[in-house]
Amino acid sequence: QKEVEQDPGPLSVPEGAIVSLNCTYSNSAFQYFMWYRQYSRKGPELLMYTYSSGNKEDGRFTAQVDKSSKYISLFIRDSQPSDSATYLCAMSVHTDSGGYQKVTFGTGTKLQVIP
Amino acid sequence: KAGVTQTPRYLIKTRGQQVTLSCSPISGHRSVSWYQQTPGQGLQFLFEYFSETQRNKGNFPGRFSGRQFSNSRSEMNVSTLELGDSALYLCASSSQGGAEAFFGQGTRLTVV
């Protein structure tokens, strides 16, 4: 079983829809949770990161972390064709001696927003 | 502010050869991490360097190595290339390592 599980999709939605992207994880030590967006032939771009449980909002994007369920989500409101990309969740642990431990990524969910 | 720069963008190498990839982080960032991305395995962590020291390491064979210079630029070396090493190699820079990391465009390595 992988430490981080993410549905690869593809997920197709009409323009203007609310998109929900999710990841589950097994390592309860994860403390930092990130979402990246990756366009074809580009490097991943950091969208949001959160520490521990709770919600964080940035424009049309909302990240949620539920540590008790080991489940994180990214919501995209009023989705646009330009949101079509692969979305990667990522998680890491921080220690005082080793800094951030390795960042573990999900395999990514391919999203297509249809005009 | 300039982003993360990786060179070269594309490489074709033959099995058994070695290759060196370069990454220039964002100015002021001291942490550089390297990742391998393939369609089957996704993004896998190789190693992280912070202030010229390897701080974290993933589960890759010893053929994969790296280093970081005093100006925070980093290089990654793969020796005795195998066909399975064909991938997109990405580096990410951050000020302290971890959560707020910024990726370069990657180097696409093809081993034939």
Side-chain angles (χ1 to χ4, degrees):
Chain A
Q1 185 190 7
K2 289 185 177 181
E3 273 191 299
V4 179
E5 298 277 2
Q6 185 175 10
D7 188 332
L11 178 63
S12 291
V13 301
E15 183 176 353
I18 296 175
V19 176
S20 172
L21 303 166
N22 312 293
C23 287
T24 59
Y25 62 94
S26 56
N27 186 351
S28 58
F30 286 136
Q31 299 166 293
Y32 290 85
F33 303 90
M34 292 79 78
W35 285 96
Y36 286 85
R37 176 175 62 194
Q38 187 174 23
Y39 292 112
S40 181
R41 300 192 175 277
K42 300 283 188 183
E45 170 194 9
L46 179 66
L47 284 175
M48 302 181 71
Y49 73 93
T50 55
Y51 173 73
S52 199
S53 286
N55 292 2
K56 186 174 183 179
E57 187 174 322
D58 184 1
R60 295 185 295 112
F61 299 91
T62 299
Q64 281 187 354
V65 174
D66 183 346
K67 291 193 74 178
S68 62
S69 302
K70 298 191 182 69
Y71 189 86
I72 70 169
S73 301
L74 178 70
F75 297 96
I76 308 174
R77 289 183 299 280
D78 187 25
S79 56
Q80 302 295 311
S82 58
D83 294 328
S84 298
T86 296
Y87 289 79
L88 300 148
C89 64
M91 310 175 187
S92 68
V93 174
H94 179 260
T95 63
D96 290 336
S97 58
Y100 291 92
Q101 298 293 325
K102 64 175 184 176
V103 180
T104 304
F105 281 81
T107 51
T109 299
K110 190 168 185 178
L111 171 67
Q112 184 178 19
V113 180
I114 302 167
Chain B
K1 199 173 188 182
V4 180
T5 303
Q6 289 189 247
T7 56
R9 290 292 310 279
Y10 302 93
L11 265 179
I12 299 176
K13 290 286 188 179
T14 304
R15 261 186 311 174
Q17 287 187 313
Q18 74 164 14
V19 67
T20 299
L21 313 181
S22 179
C23 173
S24 294
I26 292 171
S27 178
H29 284 189
R30 296 161 65 190
S31 169
V32 173
S33 297
W34 287 90
Y35 295 85
Q36 181 195 67
Q37 187 174 34
T38 58
Q41 298 296 320
L43 262 165
Q44 292 186 286
F45 173 80
L46 281 154
F47 29 66
E48 183 220 0
Y49 286 86
F50 184 82
S51 294
E52 301 180 66
T53 301
Q54 187 181 87
R55 191 162 64 171
N56 292 299
K57 190 177 186 307
N59 299 321
F60 277 80
R63 300 185 297 107
F64 293 82
S65 63
R67 59 178 175 168
Q68 187 179 34
F69 302 95
S70 58
N71 61 358
S72 293
R73 190 178 72 86
S74 178
E75 287 182 348
M76 189 192 95
N77 185 75
V78 188
S79 62
T80 320
L81 284 165
E82 301 177 359
L83 295 178
D85 297 334
S86 295
L88 181 67
Y89 290 88
L90 291 155
C91 84
S93 85
S94 66
S95 57
Q96 295 294 325
E100 198 170 11
F102 300 88
F103 280 84
Q105 299 273 52
T107 294
R108 185 162 297 279
L109 171 66
T110 302
V111 182
V112 297

